[in-house]
């Protein structure tokens, strides 16, 4: 029999029991000290930002460039390491290891599994940047200079178009999904195969041993909570910006901070209902609804937009990405500082700050897959889907812009999607579907993140009391509101980078720990190891 996440069988590789450090009072079941420290620091942060918004605004305005300009090389190198590590696992003998043991079988079919991992991993981001990023890189490439990827292609429309798409796909293809994959694989392997709790600290057991359950492990899990919460708050803030902009575009709803706060409160309330319903009742159904709506919108744009341009564009964009991915991945000797630090470094920090959340969520729904199947599906399939998505949304916007329409270039980032849809038939309907997609992605990210943070702060328990889920879902929305008040998008991006920086170093160590665990498992699978220990005890 294989092990459920966080369930320690009698032959576990450790004597530690899930929840042994937990405090069970007032209907709660919280890990001591991970929950109180995480909750206390976050409450203090929210209080400070609300009381001193001017100081917070100045701090976040300084923080993002301070980190991105100094450590851009670290983020880029780390992203490359994660991709190479994943590709190595696909072709290595370790790919045959099954998550959960040889007899384990998947709990979800491919459609439900893929819908959940994709909705959790990138939903709001794809909606926010699907049009705005290709247009931004295209215009900067036409102008040239440090803001243009790889220096741009001044005056060459076709070259600028290909470079803009390649620079966009680079941020949404192999590298981000490799970050998610290494975390998800580590959590799934150490939990399902070795019987360790489903928390980030368990992935470091080959390096820390029993110290995993002491303060080194506490600090790892606390950092994971911060990274998850602030990474989610960044996305929720982007979602609120875009949804309110869309409502203003369609219905004249005031595009104000108050509107964004009200929207975050309403959507957080919906997320609370989904959180209470649980993984199968809430998250899975919403994720599948998202996939259907996203597919409908994408196919609509493909059908009524510049269809032939998009068909040729998929091939051309894929080739451009493969041609430029190595130069774009080079951290040294480049002159495109604006692109490299302003875009790539922020993205890598954002994906890394999301990795505990997305990784743990993917791990929870991936039992029964082999390592090879897992990495292939989590890494390569979303890459293809991201290329298709960016080609259809970004490609349509580029065609409209090159034809002379200036509305997309002139619009704010959060409005560019609706400006593009406005040039197509049935724009009111498609724009409304776009808003619904942003909102539902908003909800799935919030409730998925709440379940994950709750698992970490409950010491690996996956069935912690409902009030704890409600607490974290509420605070996700509150942190997003606080960051918008304390500096808007700059504060959101600064928060993601702050937590992403230390976690990038931690994930590099995690790769080595995972390799050691997989190597030991292949030499002597856990089931054999447990039987040998049992015979020795007799």
């Amino acid at each position: 029999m294989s092990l459920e996440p966080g369930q320690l069988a009698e032959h576990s590789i450790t004597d530690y029991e899930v929840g042994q450090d937990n405090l069970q009072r007032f209907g709660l079941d919280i890990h001591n000290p991970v929950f109180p420290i995480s909750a206390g620091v976050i409450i203090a942060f929210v209080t400070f930002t609300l009381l001193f918004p001017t100081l917070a605004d100045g701090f976040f305005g300084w923080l993002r460039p301070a980190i991105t300009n100094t450590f851009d090389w670290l983020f880029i190198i780390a992203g490359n390491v994660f991709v190479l590590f994943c590709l190595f696992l696909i072709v290595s003998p370790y790919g045959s290891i099954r998550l959960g043991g040889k007899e384990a079988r998947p709990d979800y079919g491919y459609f439900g599994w893929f819908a959940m991992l994709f909705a959790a991993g990138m939903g709001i981001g794809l909606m926010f940047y699907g049009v705005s990023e290709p247009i931004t890189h295209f215009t900067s490439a036409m102008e040239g200079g440090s803001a243009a990827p790889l220096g741009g292609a001044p005056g060459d429309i076709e070259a600028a178009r290909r470079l803009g798409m390649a620079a966009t796909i680079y941020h949404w293809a192999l590298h981000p999904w490799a970050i998610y994959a290494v975390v998800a694989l580590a959590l799934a392997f150490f939990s399902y195969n070795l019987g360790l709790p489903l928390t980030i600290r368990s992935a470091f057991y080959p390096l820390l041993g029993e110290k995993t359950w002491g303060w080194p492990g506490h600090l790892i899990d606390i950092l994971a909570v911060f990274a998850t919460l602030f990474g989610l708050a960044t996305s929720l803030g982007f979602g609120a910006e875009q949804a309110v902009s869309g409502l203003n575009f369609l219905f004249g709803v005031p595009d104000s901070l108050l509107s964004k706060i009200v929207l975050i409160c309403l959507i957080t309330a919906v997320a609370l209902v989904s959180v209470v319903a649980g993984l199968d009742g809430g998250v899975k159904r919403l994720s599948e609804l998202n996939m259907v709506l996203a597919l409908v919108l994408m196919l609509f744009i493909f059908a009524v937009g510049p269809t032939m341009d998009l068909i040729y564009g998929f091939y051309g964009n894929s080739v451009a990405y493969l041609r430029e991915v190595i130069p774009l991945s080079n951290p040294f000797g480049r002159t495109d500082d604006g692109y490299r630090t302003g875009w790539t470094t922020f993205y890598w920090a954002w994906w890394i700050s999301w990795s505990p959340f997305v990784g743990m969520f993917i791990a929870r729904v991936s039992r029964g897959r082999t390592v090879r199947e897992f990495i292939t599906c989590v890494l390569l399939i979303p890459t293809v889907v991201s290329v298709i998505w960016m080609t259809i949304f970004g490609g349509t916007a580029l065609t409209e812009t090159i034809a002379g329409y200036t509305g997309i270039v002139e619009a704010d980032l959060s409005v560019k999607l609706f400006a593009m849809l406005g040039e197509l038939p049935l724009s009111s309907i498609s724009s409304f579907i776009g808003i619904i997609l942003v909102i539902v992605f908003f909800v799935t990210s919030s409730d998925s993140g709440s379940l994950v943070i709750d698992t970490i702060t409950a010491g690996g328990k996956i069935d912690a009391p409902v009030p704890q889920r409600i607490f974290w879902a509420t605070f996700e929305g509150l942190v997003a509101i606080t960051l918008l008040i304390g500096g808007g998008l700059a504060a959101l991006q600064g928060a993601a980078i702050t937590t992403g920086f230390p976690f990038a170093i931690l994930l590099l160590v995690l790769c080595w720990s995972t390799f050691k665990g997989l190597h030991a498992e292949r030499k002597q699978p856990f089931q054999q190891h447990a039987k040998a220990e049992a015979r020795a005890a007799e």
Side-chain angles (χ1 to χ4, degrees):
M1 292 292 291
S2 59
L3 301 173
E4 296 297 329
Q7 185 181 49
L8 299 183
E10 59 178 328
H11 296 309
S12 172
I13 62 172
T14 178
D15 292 330
Y16 182 85
E17 296 182 4
V18 174
Q20 73 176 39
D21 295 326
N22 284 20
L23 299 175
Q24 298 175 335
R25 296 192 180 101
F26 310 111
L28 302 178
D29 190 354
I30 59 177
H31 185 279
N32 182 35
V34 174
F35 185 99
I37 292 179
S38 302
V41 172
I42 289 167
I43 290 172
F45 165 81
V46 170
T47 303
F48 170 80
T49 305
L50 292 177
L51 291 177
F52 306 101
T54 303
L55 283 176
D57 188 8
F59 172 73
F60 286 119
W62 163 84
L63 183 63
R64 176 185 171 177
I67 294 179
T68 55
N69 293 338
T70 306
F71 297 104
D72 58 300
W73 59 271
L74 175 63
F75 283 108
I76 294 175
I77 289 175
N80 296 339
V81 169
F82 301 141
V83 172
L84 294 175
F85 182 61
C86 288
L87 296 177
F88 163 74
L89 291 178
I90 290 176
V91 300
S92 75
Y94 306 115
S96 62
I97 296 173
R98 187 173 294 276
L99 300 175
K102 293 183 178 179
E103 305 303 319
R105 292 296 177 265
D107 297 320
Y108 301 97
Y110 277 111
F111 181 77
W113 180 49
F114 182 69
M116 285 189 283
L117 72 90
F118 199 80
M122 291 196 168
I124 291 176
L126 283 173
M127 294 298 297
F128 192 90
Y129 285 109
V131 169
S132 61
E133 188 174 356
I135 283 291
T136 301
H137 295 330
F138 166 75
T139 55
S140 63
M142 284 291 291
E143 295 170 0
S146 65
L150 301 178
D156 188 333
I157 292 178
E158 190 57 32
R161 177 175 185 148
R162 291 284 177 252
L163 183 57
M165 289 302 302
T168 299
I169 293 169
Y170 169 59
H171 291 149
W172 295 88
L174 290 175
H175 284 75
W177 286 100
I179 294 169
Y180 296 157
V182 296
V183 177
L185 174 64
L187 291 170
F189 172 72
F190 286 107
S191 179
Y192 291 122
N193 293 67
L194 303 187
L196 301 182
L198 191 64
T199 61
I200 300 296
R201 71 173 74 194
S202 295
F204 295 86
Y205 189 85
L207 303 178
L208 296 176
E210 291 303 307
K211 292 180 180 178
T212 303
W213 321 120
W215 271 104
H218 299 335
L219 293 175
I220 290 171
D221 277 352
I222 290 170
L223 181 58
V225 171
F226 293 156
T228 302
L229 195 69
F230 287 110
L232 277 169
T234 301
S235 297
L236 299 186
F238 284 149
E241 289 269 353
Q242 189 172 35
V244 170
S245 296
L247 292 171
N248 173 264
F249 186 81
L250 286 178
F251 307 115
V253 173
D255 190 354
S256 64
L257 179 61
L258 178 60
S259 297
K260 295 166 190 172
I261 292 174
V262 170
L263 182 64
I264 290 175
C265 291
L266 291 175
I267 296 177
T268 299
V270 177
L272 287 174
V273 176
S274 179
V275 162
V276 172
L279 187 65
D280 292 322
V283 178
K284 181 172 180 286
R285 291 178 181 176
L286 282 174
S287 298
E288 291 177 342
L289 171 63
N290 256 8
M291 289 294 289
V292 172
L293 285 176
L295 183 63
V296 168
L297 183 60
M298 188 169 65
L299 291 177
F300 169 78
I301 296 172
F302 176 77
V304 303
T307 305
M308 293 309 298
D309 280 355
L310 299 180
I311 292 174
Y312 291 122
F314 174 76
Y315 171 77
N317 296 338
S318 301
V319 172
Y321 167 63
L322 293 175
R323 183 177 62 244
E324 305 294 353
V325 65
I326 293 179
L328 290 168
S329 302
N330 173 32
F332 304 113
R334 290 169 58 177
T335 59
D336 54 349
D337 293 347
Y339 170 80
R340 192 179 69 258
T341 62
W343 286 89
T344 302
T345 306
F346 162 66
Y347 269 128
W348 279 200
W350 190 16
W351 302 144
I352 289 169
S353 70
W354 261 50
S355 64
F357 147 54
V358 181
M360 187 175 292
F361 184 74
I362 293 174
R364 284 190 61 175
V365 299
S366 299
R367 176 183 174 273
R369 311 285 177 184
T370 66
V371 170
R372 184 172 293 112
E373 177 188 17
F374 175 89
I375 295 292
T376 300
C377 289
V378 174
L379 183 65
L380 300 183
I381 293 178
T383 292
V384 174
V385 173
S386 294
V387 175
I388 294 173
W389 182 279
M390 289 301 178
T391 295
I392 291 177
F393 281 75
T396 300
L398 287 172
T399 297
E400 292 175 358
T401 299
I402 293 170
Y405 175 56
T406 60
I408 303 173
V409 174
E410 295 169 353
D412 292 337
L413 282 179
S414 57
V415 187
K416 290 185 186 296
L417 168 66
F418 306 107
M420 181 272 287
L421 292 174
E423 291 296 291
L424 300 177
L426 304 175
S427 60
S428 296
I429 296 175
S430 61
S431 295
F432 184 71
I433 292 176
I435 295 172
I436 296 298
L437 261 174
V438 171
I439 292 174
V440 180
F441 274 131
F442 198 147
V443 174
T444 54
S445 295
S446 180
D447 57 15
S448 303
S450 300
L451 292 172
V452 167
I453 295 176
D454 189 41
T455 299
I456 297 173
T457 55
K461 287 191 174 182
I462 61 174
D463 56 351
V466 171
Q468 292 172 216
R469 301 184 200 170
I470 293 175
F471 173 85
W472 289 114
T474 302
F475 261 83
E476 284 168 22
L478 188 56
V479 169
I481 291 171
T482 301
L483 290 170
L484 284 175
I485 293 174
L489 290 180
L492 293 166
Q493 294 170 340
I497 288 172
T498 304
T499 51
F501 172 62
F503 220 77
I505 300 171
L506 203 63
L507 293 193
L508 290 172
V509 180
L510 178 141
C511 289
W512 174 243
S513 183
T514 302
F515 173 77
K516 290 190 67 175
L518 291 171
H519 183 68
E521 174 77 358
R522 190 166 182 270
K523 288 177 61 178
Q524 185 179 31
F526 170 66
Q527 290 84 353
Q528 297 178 18
H529 177 67
K531 292 176 182 178
E533 281 191 338
R535 286 195 298 269
E538 295 173 358

